Amino acid sequence: LFVFLPGTNMEPDKHDLVLLTAASAGYRSIGLSYDNTVSEASACGGLEECGLNCSGLVREEVVRGVDLTPQVNVARGDSVLVRLYRVLEYLDSIDPTGGWSSYYVPATGSIRPDNIVWENTIIGGFSQGGGVGAFISWSQQVHGLFILDGADDTCVDPVTGLDEPAEWLSATPDASVGRPKYGFRHDHGTGDTTTTATWQAIGLGTALFDADGLFGQLPPPHASVTAQGHPATPAICSDHMSMARDEC
């Protein structure tokens, strides 16, 4: 199963080409709508100092719909966990021979993370969705992780003033260590092909490869950067949006 999470204030129908590509490769594919109205960056603005765990609390509330921080207000039914469970339950009910039961365990009460069979699920996302996907991958053993231009959660060391990977990356062991992980980002016109400490912590390696020159061949450690130009129409399009938005 390939589950793709859209970016801030975006719906899954903006990423049909990503989902169709996964489907054409043989995966069952779900573009999941969830409460993505507030980005981690805006929610944690002014709360970047390490020790506050702002990004971890924000990510977890988006995933579980449990009130953990006043920086976001995600209703239980709009969380990634509950929405994914409900769509799998529904698909299984209308297509009982379709194999959807391989991806969830029927809940007898409140829907919990272990009601999703994460080890049969590739979690992917764009921008905010990539960060949420990375958080899920860190906390649950997924089949794989796929990030498009996202998942750079950092905090500022109060002593050195330098950016460090967010606290949730060191608070617990990586549940998906050793699983396939891929990350693509745009260089945003800077020519920067270095990876980030956050991506290194996630397990995407210490070097980036030029994806525009790879022609589908991805050597480890699977972290890549693209600088190829893209038509900038309509106005919503940008280097960032070109990574995943259909019309870009």
Side-chain angles (χ1 to χ4, degrees):
L1 176 68
F2 178 70
V3 177
F4 192 76
L5 304 173
T8 303
N9 284 315
M10 297 176 73
E11 294 296 332
D13 65 359
K14 305 301 186 292
H15 305 304
D16 283 343
L17 294 175
V18 175
L19 292 163
L20 286 168
T21 300
S24 71
Y27 296 103
R28 291 179 175 85
S29 300
I30 293 174
L32 192 72
S33 178
Y34 65 103
D35 188 342
N36 60 1
T37 54
V38 180
S39 70
E40 178 273 339
S42 61
C44 293
L47 297 172
E48 297 93 350
E49 184 176 305
C50 294
L52 301 176
N53 193 29
C54 182
S55 63
L57 295 173
V58 167
R59 298 297 193 199
E60 187 170 0
E61 183 161 333
V62 170
V63 172
R64 295 177 55 211
V66 177
D67 187 16
L68 298 172
T69 172
Q71 303 311 117
V72 289
N73 184 21
V74 178
R76 174 78 170 159
D78 292 331
S79 66
V80 172
L81 172 63
V82 173
R83 285 190 166 223
L84 179 56
Y85 178 89
R86 292 299 187 202
V87 75
L88 289 169
E89 183 182 52
Y90 172 73
L91 289 168
D92 193 32
S93 71
I94 64 170
D95 182 21
T97 62
W100 299 104
S101 59
S102 299
Y103 309 112
Y104 79 104
V105 177
T108 56
S110 179
I111 298 168
R112 299 166 50 86
D114 56 11
N115 289 119
I116 304 296
V117 185
W118 297 108
E119 58 264 33
N120 289 348
T121 304
I122 298 168
I123 192 78
F126 166 63
S127 195
Q128 180 184 172
V132 175
F135 181 87
I136 292 172
S137 169
W138 193 273
S139 55
Q140 305 291 329
Q141 186 181 53
V142 298
H143 185 78
L145 173 67
F146 178 64
I147 298 168
L148 285 172
D149 224 19
D152 194 20
D153 289 7
T154 60
C155 62
V156 179
D157 187 304
V159 176
T160 66
L162 300 176
D163 284 349
E164 302 286 346
E167 297 94 327
W168 61 264
L169 287 160
S170 58
T172 58
D174 181 2
S176 298
V177 64
R179 301 306 307 153
K181 298 179 182 183
Y182 293 86
F184 290 83
R185 70 168 176 84
H186 203 289
D187 77 346
H188 301 277
T190 64
D192 180 13
T193 58
T194 59
T195 190
T196 64
T198 302
W199 273 26
Q200 290 181 47
I202 290 169
L204 291 174
T206 58
L208 294 175
F209 292 87
D210 180 2
D212 291 329
L214 286 176
F215 301 104
Q217 300 179 19
L218 253 148
H222 314 311
S224 304
V225 63
T226 179
Q228 183 172 304
H230 301 273
T233 54
I236 189 65
C237 294
S238 63
D239 289 344
H240 183 50
M241 289 295 181
S242 74
M243 299 298 296
R245 192 179 178 103
D246 291 339
E247 62 266 41
C248 304

